[in-house]
């Protein structure tokens, strides 16, 4: 039997965060940092299924007390790493990040913080990091994909630093993913509502969860996608179970086959606005 391959697997190395942004969901699970030994177990169990991981579900990954060790494990196993961060710790962690092979760093510029000179610090650090890795500046927009007032102010900050020409500025207004310098991009998407089980039932539809990716929470719980930050759809625990057994379990197969046949199995997925957006974008292609 051919072993299943994922395009990526999300790993939450910590669900601690140094900010409290309004667009982030309220925490439910206890705060936990995945130990280096536990992270090694995760990599050992997933490396035959993907070589591409995202250090992201909830939390700020750059807060991890053993980030250097975490990234060393990835280097030693030829794992491509993408990191999603609020940017506040990029400067203090830049030496560690430059030391390792990081595929991509996603910086949420909408993060609500009180760091003095935040944008200059982030942009200067990312300029340095971009010599080795791809930088993605992320913006929230209106549902129409047009820039809201806060996004316009952030774009002004970007322009002040990078001195963008009119063509690029216009692209930022109308396009989704725009290159502004070698290895540096601006990507925008409209803010979604974190899914939760409620009375909004939608039994039909599809998603890439279980099909192209899964996520591992800091406590080891495996979920179909990175939006299930509280482990509601608990597929098993990577510290206790073999990944092959989880992927061949009745629940996993039921969810996966459902998505393939336009059937939504889990209540959490039925109320997911991000899934509905994916379906809309797929129809428009």
């Amino acid at each position: 039997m051919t072993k299943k391959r994922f395009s990526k697997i999300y790993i939450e190395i910590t669900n601690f965060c140094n900010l409290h942004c309004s667009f982030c969901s309220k925490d439910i699970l206890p705060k936990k940092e995945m130990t280096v030994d536990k992270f090694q177990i995760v990599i050992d169990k997933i490396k035959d299924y993907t070589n591409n991981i995202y250090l992201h579900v909830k939390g700020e990954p750059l807060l991890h007390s053993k980030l250097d060790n975490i990234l060393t494990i990835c280097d030693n196993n030829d794992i491509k790493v993408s990191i999603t961060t609020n940017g506040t710790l990029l400067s203090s962690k830049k030496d560690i990040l430059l030391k390792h092979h990081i595929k991509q760093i996603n910086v949420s510029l909408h993060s609500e913080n009180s760091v003095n000179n935040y944008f200059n610090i982030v942009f200067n650090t990312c300029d340095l990091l971009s010599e080795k890795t791809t930088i993605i500046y992320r913006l929230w927009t209106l549902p129409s994909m047009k820039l809201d007032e806060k996004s316009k102010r952030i774009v002004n900050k970007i322009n002040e630093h990078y001195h963008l020409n009119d063509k690029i500025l216009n692209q930022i207004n109308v396009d989704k993913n725009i290159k502004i310098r070698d290895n540096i991009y601006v990507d925008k998407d409209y803010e979604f509502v974190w899914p939760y089980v409620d009375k909004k039932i939608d039994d039909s539809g599809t998603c890439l969860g279980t099909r192209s990716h899964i996520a591992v929470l800091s406590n080891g719980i495996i979920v179909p996608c990175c939006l299930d930050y509280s482990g509601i759809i608990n597929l098993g625990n990577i510290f206790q179970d073999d990944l092959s057994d989880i992927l061949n379990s009745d629940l996993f197969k039921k969810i996966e086959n459902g998505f393939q046949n336009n059937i939504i199995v889990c209540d959490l997925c039925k109320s997911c606005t991000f899934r509905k957006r994916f379906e809309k974008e797929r129809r428009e292609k």
Side-chain angles (χ1 to χ4, degrees), residues 3-10 45-54 79-80 103 208-216 222-225 235 238 243-244 246-248 252-253 256:
K3 184 169 289 189
K4 184 176 179 68
R5 294 286 296 181
F6 294 104
S7 62
K8 57 182 171 290
I9 292 180
Y10 295 89
K45 289 192 175 184
I46 71 168
K47 63 184 179 182
D48 289 337
Y49 297 88
T50 191
N51 67 337
N52 192 22
I53 67 170
Y54 277 61
I79 299 291
K80 299 175 182 178
K103 175 185 176 183
L208 293 177
T210 68
R211 298 166 64 190
S212 72
H213 63 272
I214 55 175
V216 181
I222 296 177
V223 291
C225 81
L235 298 172
I238 200 163
L243 187 54
S244 60
I246 293 173
L247 302 184
N248 286 291
F252 186 94
K253 289 296 185 183
E256 183 182 35

Side-chain angles (χ1 to χ4, degrees), residues 54 81-85 90 97-98 100-107 125-138 177-187:
Y54 277 61
V81 179
S82 295
I83 296 174
T84 297
T85 174
L90 279 172
L97 296 173
L98 286 167
H100 299 282
H101 300 292
I102 311 296
K103 175 185 176 183
Q104 182 173 304
I105 299 176
N106 308 308
V107 187
T125 306
C126 285
D127 288 347
L128 180 62
L129 293 171
S130 69
E131 296 176 7
K132 291 190 61 178
T133 186
T134 298
I135 302 294
I136 309 290
Y137 294 135
R138 287 186 168 175
N177 194 9
I178 306 96
K179 182 178 180 179
I180 63 172
R181 181 176 286 189
D182 287 347
N183 290 335
I184 302 180
Y185 297 78
V186 172
D187 191 26

